[in-house]
């Protein structure tokens, strides 16, 4: 295994800046707002903050359409604010990870504005173009956000390729000039003090649209190794690539211990298990619990010693986990702690998404107009046109919509949950009077303090970062249990994944072990696991 890196014991906190804290009353979260809340993050105990994009953008896709990689969007503040955030975070031993969107830019980026002027323009080949005639698409590839992946530019007689919004033209990584521009930009941010980077849809940069290849193109790892060599390897950074198409073998390349690519990878196999096979993410099925255990165990064992896992249940694109796989009503606290126990006991770097440490839940808005997300709005229109019932469409949005993660952070029980003094860009979840940071910090038995304890345990005990992983009760339909083992110590993690009482007899050798953490106030090692009960027990071998 590689020399131990700081990020192997670290816990990362993801902030969606638009929804975290507004400092100026315009209803939109901003960088000064994040600075204001750094003491809260320090109290939680995290080591790094991953910021969703804050660079200048027309905000067609919530900042994932960048028009200037070396400036801050005015809605979030200024470059000076960004530099202050990096400095103030460092004072609290927190590093700032930036979100790099390198697969595409905004159509308002100066590169694309130049590219559209002429086929002979030096920036034309910064993007992916195909000759053609209007109405006759180069092929039938579709955009992730609906409609074709090709957009006609009449003045050039060409189509440009966009995997996402029509306002997000794909960059041409085959062009070495594009790559050099990107590397210089990253080095510039490293000089500013950026502590790491998350690479958006990085597995799509080596696209070959003529062959209908978007992710995992032939030159993907060649490009990533060059990127890493020219930038990341020049600093002590944490880097994570978002790769929806990653399998074990690819993940071993992404997170190779030699540091030739990234620190780790975001893969999403476990998060797609409650999707009907062969259908869209909106078509849900019950979570196949045994498959979930097998999947997480596979990644634990297969990457052990030859790669590194990222551990997460939530992010800005996913619904709230306590609503998805827990119980966000009568057992919200117990199930949120249980899900945290399972995740934080594994090997890898855990990611906490803002509000996860409070047990924030999905939201159920009454009308489609209350939703802001481009993906939700497009799906709503498309499914109505296909004859779906509106009620059915809304239920899919309630379950899987990205805006579940994007409602404003719930700080206290004052107006708009203390997020803003103005009108929030998106409505706050109405349950903020019960679920908020102020109440959680005052309650020693809260989800917030449970996360604090989990974070401390990871930092104090090397078994979390270094131990082997053994899945127990693999076929059990109710209990998630595994053992971590290192030298002369063993750690047992056991959790009831249901709202029923489940008989679970601890093996004799564990009955005298030390309970490190337990999600019920009265502790426990009884023969019965209560609803969502979970614990970690350590013992000498």
């Amino acid at each position: 295994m590689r020399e131990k890196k700081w990020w192997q014991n670290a816990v990362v906190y993801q902030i969606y800046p638009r929804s975290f804290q507004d400092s100026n009353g315009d209803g939109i979260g901003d960088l000064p707002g994040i600075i204001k809340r750094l003491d809260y993050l320090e109290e939680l105990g995290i080591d790094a903050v991953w910021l969703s994009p804050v660079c200048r953008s027309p905000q067609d896709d919530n900042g994932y359409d960048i028009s200037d990689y070396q400036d801050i969007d005015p809605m979030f503040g200024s470059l000076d604010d960004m530099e202050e955030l990096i400095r103030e975070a460092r004072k609290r031993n927190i590093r700032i990870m930036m979100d790099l969107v390198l697969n595409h830019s905004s159509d308002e980026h100066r590169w694309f504005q130049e590219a559209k002027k002429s086929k002979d323009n030096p920036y034309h080949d910064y993007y992916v173009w195909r000759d053609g005639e209007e109405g006759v698409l180069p092929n039938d590839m579709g955009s992730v956000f609906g409609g074709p992946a090709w957009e006609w530019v009449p003045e050039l007689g060409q189509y440009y390729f966009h995997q996402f919004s029509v306002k997000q033209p794909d960059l041409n990584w085959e062009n070495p000039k594009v790559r050099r521009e990107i590397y210089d930009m990253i080095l510039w941010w490293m000089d500013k003090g950026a502590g790491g980077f998350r690479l958006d849809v990085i597995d799509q940069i080596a696209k070959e649209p003529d062959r209908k290849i978007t992710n995992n193109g032939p030159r993907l790892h060649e490009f990533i190794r060059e990127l890493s060599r020219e930038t990341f390897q020049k600093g002590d950074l944490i880097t994570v690539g978002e790769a929806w198409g990653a399998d074990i073998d690819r993940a071993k390349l992404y997170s190779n211990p030699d540091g030739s690519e990234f620190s780790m990878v975001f893969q999403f196999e476990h998060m797609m298990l409650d999707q009907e096979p062969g259908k869209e993410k909106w078509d849900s099925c019950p979570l196949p619990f045994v498959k979930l255990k097998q999947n997480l165990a596979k990644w634990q064992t297969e990457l052990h010693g030859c790669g590194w896992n990222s551990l997460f249940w939530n992010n800005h694109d996913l619904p709230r986990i306590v609503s998805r796989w827990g119980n966000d009503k009568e057992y919200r606290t117990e199930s949120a702690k249980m899900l945290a126990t399972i995740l934080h006991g594994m090997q890898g770097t855990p990611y906490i998404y803002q509000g996860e440490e409070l047990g924030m839940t999905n939201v159920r808005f009454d009308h489609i107009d209350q939703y802001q997300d481009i993906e939700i709005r497009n799906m709503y229109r498309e499914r109505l046109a296909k004859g779906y019932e509106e009620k059915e469409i809304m239920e899919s949005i309630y379950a899987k919509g990205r805006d579940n993660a994007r409602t404003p952070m719930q700080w206290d029980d004052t107006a708009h949950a203390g997020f803003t003094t103005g009108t929030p860009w998106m409505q706050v979840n109405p349950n903020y009077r019960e679920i908020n940071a102020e109440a959680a910090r005052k309650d020693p038995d809260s989800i917030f303090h449970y996360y604090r304890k989990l974070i401390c345990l990871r930092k104090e005990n090397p078994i979390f970062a270094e131990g082997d992983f053994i899945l127990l009760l693999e076929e059990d339909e109710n209990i998630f249990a595994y053992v971590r083992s290192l030298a002369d110590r063993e750690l047992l993690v056991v959790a009831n994944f249901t709202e029923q009482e489940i008989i679970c007899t601890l093996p004799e050798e564990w009955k005298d072990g030390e309970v490190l953490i337990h999600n019920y106030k009265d502790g426990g090692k009884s023969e019965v696991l209560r609803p969502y009960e979970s614990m970690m027990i350590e013992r000498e071998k």
Side-chain angles (χ1 to χ4, degrees), residues 14 19 163 187 232 314 444 451 454 490 522 538:
Q14 185 192 354
S19 297
Q163 292 182 69
L187 291 169
F232 308 143
N314 297 271
Y451 269 84
L454 283 170
E490 282 189 314
D522 56 0
E538 189 180 33

Side-chain angles (χ1 to χ4, degrees), residues 91 131 304 347 500:
K91 289 178 186 175
D131 293 328
H304 185 70
Q347 183 181 52
Q500 313 300 323

Side-chain angles (χ1 to χ4, degrees), residues 1 179 188 210 247 311 351 518:
M1 194 163 182
R179 304 202 299 273
W188 183 84
D210 299 326
D247 56 18
L311 306 172
Y351 288 74
H518 191 280

Side-chain angles (χ1 to χ4, degrees), residues 217-499:
R219 298 188 68 187
L220 177 62
H221 292 280
E222 172 195 342
F223 288 155
I224 291 175
R225 283 191 289 271
E226 182 184 89
L227 164 66
S228 177
R229 189 170 60 248
E230 294 291 327
T231 57
F232 308 143
Q233 292 175 38
K234 300 177 188 292
D236 183 22
L237 304 175
I238 178 173
T239 56
V240 54
E242 181 196 31
W244 285 81
D247 56 18
I248 292 287
D249 289 336
R250 292 187 178 103
K252 288 178 181 177
L253 295 174
Y254 286 124
S255 62
N256 192 313
D258 66 8
S260 58
E261 296 199 8
F262 304 135
S263 309
M264 66 200 79
V265 63
F266 282 139
Q267 57 79 24
F268 296 85
E269 279 187 1
H270 64 303
M271 302 312 300
M272 298 166 76
L273 291 172
D274 60 357
Q275 176 179 316
E276 284 191 42
K279 295 196 176 180
E280 296 177 301
K281 81 172 193 179
W282 307 104
D283 302 304
S284 297
C285 63
L287 174 68
F289 177 59
V290 171
K291 280 189 179 177
L292 174 68
K293 294 194 293 184
Q294 293 169 342
N295 181 272
L296 291 172
K298 174 184 77 172
W299 284 90
Q300 286 290 295
T301 55
E302 293 288 325
L303 287 192
H304 185 70
C306 59
W308 195 254
N309 283 291
S310 60
L311 306 172
F312 68 96
W313 293 128
N314 297 271
N315 68 26
H316 62 289
D317 283 334
L318 298 172
R320 295 281 180 181
I321 195 63
V322 72
S323 298
R324 186 177 185 178
W325 292 345
N327 177 323
D328 64 8
K329 303 292 190 297
E330 56 267 51
Y331 295 112
R332 184 183 65 86
T333 297
E334 292 83 358
S335 64
K337 291 179 180 179
M338 179 275 292
L339 288 159
T341 306
I342 289 170
L343 196 78
H344 286 249
M346 295 185 191
Q347 183 181 52
T349 299
Y351 288 74
I352 300 169
Y353 180 72
Q354 64 182 46
E356 179 183 342
E357 77 282 8
L358 305 177
M360 280 178 60
T361 68
N362 284 356
V363 71
R364 295 174 70 93
F365 292 137
D366 294 329
H367 304 291
I368 188 65
D369 293 344
Q370 293 169 275
Y371 288 92
Q372 306 292 331
D373 180 35
I374 183 176
E375 184 184 48
I376 287 175
R377 288 171 173 252
N378 286 348
M379 181 279 276
Y380 179 85
R381 286 195 299 270
E382 287 178 4
R383 292 209 160 187
L384 272 184
K386 289 176 181 175
Y388 284 75
E389 294 288 331
E390 183 178 30
K391 184 180 179 186
E392 183 182 1
I393 297 171
M394 292 304 290
E395 287 297 329
S396 293
I397 292 170
Y398 296 153
K400 291 287 186 75
R402 299 195 298 184
D403 279 349
N404 283 307
R406 300 175 183 185
T407 57
M409 181 72 172
Q410 294 164 209
W411 291 108
D412 56 41
D413 63 0
T414 63
H416 308 307
F419 164 69
T420 181
T421 56
T423 302
W425 76 279
M426 184 191 295
Q427 286 177 243
V428 178
N429 192 318
N431 63 18
Y432 73 90
R433 294 192 187 279
E434 295 77 44
I435 303 171
N436 62 71
E438 184 178 58
R441 291 175 68 210
K442 290 177 180 174
D443 176 7
D445 197 44
S446 68
I447 300 166
F448 174 82
H449 287 294
Y450 196 84
Y451 269 84
R452 287 186 69 209
K453 189 167 183 181
L454 283 170
I455 292 168
C456 285
L457 285 172
R458 288 192 70 88
K459 291 178 180 176
E460 293 167 356
N461 194 329
I463 203 167
F464 291 97
E466 300 171 38
D468 296 336
F469 178 97
I470 304 160
L471 181 66
L472 307 178
L473 307 176
E474 182 176 331
E475 299 297 328
D476 193 289
E477 296 282 353
N478 305 299
I479 296 171
F480 202 138
Y482 59 85
V483 170
R484 303 293 308 283
S485 177
L486 181 68
D488 62 345
R489 309 294 295 176
E490 282 189 314
L491 178 77
L492 172 66
V493 179
V494 59
N496 177 2
F497 215 88
T498 77
E499 57 190 53

Side-chain angles (χ1 to χ4, degrees), residues 197-208:
F197 300 95
R198 178 261 190 185
L199 292 301
D200 184 60
V201 293
I202 196 65
D203 58 349
Q204 305 200 3
I205 59 173
K207 63 195 75 72
E208 293 193 9

